[in-house]
Amino acid sequence: MVTNILILGDGAAGTIMANKLRFLTHREDAEITVIGNSKYHYFKPDGIHIPLGIKNYRDSVKNPKFLFNYGINYVRDSVTRIDVDNRNVSTQSGKNYTYDYLVIATGDRLVPEEIENFDREAHHFYTLEGSLELKEKLSGFNGGKIVIGPSSIPYQCPPAPYEFAFQLDRYLRRRGIRDKTELHYIFPLNRVFTMENVSNYVQKLFDEKDIIYHTLFNLESIDAQKKTVSSLEGEDQKYDFLILVPPHKGQQVITESGLAGDQGYIAVDRHHLNYGDYDNVFVVGDATDLPISKAGATAHFQSEYLSGRIASEISGFVAEELYDGSVACTTVTGDEKAFTLYFSYTRPPRALFQSKADYLLKWTSADTYFSGMLRGVM
Amino acid sequence: MEEQEKPTKVVDARGSFCPGPLMELIKAYKSAKTNDVISLYSTDTGTKKDAAAWINKSGNQLIGVFDREGYYEIVMKKTK
Ligand SMILES: Cc1cc2nc3c(=O)[nH]c(=O)nc-3n(C[C@H](O)[C@H](O)[C@H](O)COP(=O)(O)OP(=O)(O)OC[C@H]3O[C@@H](n4cnc5c(N)ncnc54)[C@H](O)[C@@H]3O)c2cc1C
């Protein structure tokens, strides 16, 4: 009997899952279908390089169709309804799909419209379009006060805003306008990053690089006339140039299908990644509400676990392995240096040190991603 | 707790890690009315410090931090 595996989403998590599963199962035992609606597959981590003109965006974009291994049925369509009780998925083109295993990997979406004046005033590096627009605007910037930070939590890749601040500091120095620029970093917690030891480290580097930080700053509003951002805690910061991570939410189809509330993130079992009482419905990547980084590395580790589990069930043997929340992430600190963090649900990140080697790892990660990680060979 | 401190809202963030509990508290705060009492349950030890810092910085009132069985409770009053 052929097992029918349906994967929703053609981003990092969906592609890695499909490719890994294809490697682990025989074609006569498992049919793998991926439904995704992306125009192109963009390597989002390059958003910290592209706006600063140090990387060409062409190396960061691929046609999703060519990223799937042989034997995977890739359908370009939008999922409009997921009915887990009747094992049915409907799409915009009017088709219906059934499944034995469902893997939801629809990621999350940016909702700048949730903050008035965001689109008019703020720039960001969270999409390719945003990064290219930011590149153009930054080239016309000749000094003043830049305010940068996340507008709310959760957002993809927690270190990305501080990485961008470090990269920006270097960019401004290279352009000879750092002494004419004040760099201000805002963050919602009472430190500059979620994890305390990483935060202490980043804070020290901020001090060295004269990046001024404002903690417990939960962005509430943007005043376009006064060019001021205000926090829920009652603090105002004026800006000449504003770079904010847009607010994030899960996909609308998730909320509309009753799989999650208004925030759109699906509650899953933290060690098995299955949804509710369903032992054939799984969620991987940014779509979950797990208390871990929304990162490609998370999607990678989860796919490693889940593809192994599904493949072993299909072959009639049940693996007892548990997903342990592992994440590895390399984060840039400017000046062509970076540090790498390894952590899990129970293991906090250990000692931190920057190196050029780590930066090289990050710099070449688009190649590693497209040719190795995404292909399911790593 | 005294009668008037009975929570208007309870945010049960047990099992969730930093920054989850604080973000849940802020979400509840945004939809609360002045003088509402919000109670946050958490098992994440870091939240004690983080939530207290946020309540003070935001100019609201920290009523107390209480050890419960297997978790703790942070109680605040929205004064703004
Ligand atoms: C600036 C930036 C820097 C980052 N840096 C890093 C980093 O250094 N390291 C790291 O590990 N991670 C990093 N990330 C995060 C990483 O890119 C994401 O966590 C990762 O892409 C999540 O994978 P995903 O598959 O869950 O979601 P996505 O990659 O967003 O994929 C979701 C897919 O689902 C599709 N989809 C959505 N809704 C539907 C629907 N209704 N029907 C059909 N298809 C649908 C979308 O088209 C998309 O292709 C960064 C992100 C950003 C923005």
Side-chain angles (χ1 to χ4, degrees), chain A residues 9-14 35-38 44-45 77-79 105-107 125-126 156-157 160 251 253 284-286 294-297 299 330 362:
Chain A
D10 54 355
I35 307 175
N37 65 3
S38 59
K44 293 184 251 189
D77 205 345
S78 284
V79 175
T106 44
F125 54 97
Y126 263 61
Q156 286 169 65
C157 191
Q251 302 293 351
V253 64
V284 280
D286 291 353
K294 296 205 174 296
T330 301
K362 183 92 178 186

Side-chain angles (χ1 to χ4, degrees), chain A residues 16-37:
Chain A
I16 300 173
M17 262 312 288
N19 285 334
K20 277 192 179 293
L21 272 168
R22 191 66 295 166
F23 276 135
L24 295 172
T25 54
H26 292 289
R27 288 180 67 197
E28 54 276 22
D29 291 341
E31 196 171 296
I32 302 169
T33 302
V34 179
I35 307 175
N37 65 3

Side-chain angles (χ1 to χ4, degrees), chain B residues 12-33:
Chain B
D12 189 349
R14 285 175 289 186
S16 162
F17 298 98
C18 164
L22 178 59
M23 292 301 126
E24 290 290 320
L25 177 68
I26 294 175
K27 201 162 82 189
Y29 169 86
K30 282 183 179 171
S31 62
K33 296 189 292 289

Side-chain angles (χ1 to χ4, degrees), chain A residues 8-15 35-48 77-80 105-108 110 125-127 131 156-157 159-160 163 248 251 253 284-287 293-299 327-331 362 365 369 373:
Chain A
L8 311 182
D10 54 355
T15 310
I35 307 175
N37 65 3
S38 59
K39 280 187 278 184
Y40 45 78
H41 194 123
Y42 168 52
F43 182 63
K44 293 184 251 189
D46 278 347
I48 64 160
D77 205 345
S78 284
V79 175
T80 50
T106 44
D108 49 18
L110 307 181
F125 54 97
Y126 263 61
T127 58
S131 295
Q156 286 169 65
C157 191
E163 290 186 275
H248 286 47
Q251 302 293 351
V253 64
V284 280
D286 291 353
S293 298
K294 296 205 174 296
T298 306
V327 183
C329 98
T330 301
T331 96
K362 183 92 178 186
S365 53
Y369 177 76
M373 190 197 277

Side-chain angles (χ1 to χ4, degrees), chain A residues 190-191 196 215 233 235 291, chain B residues 17-18 26 49-50 54 57:
Chain A
N190 52 330
R191 47 186 175 269
E196 207 157 349
T215 55
E233 293 79 15
E235 192 179 335
Chain B
F17 298 98
C18 164
I26 294 175
K49 202 167 74 183
D50 295 356
W54 179 77
K57 168 101 180 230

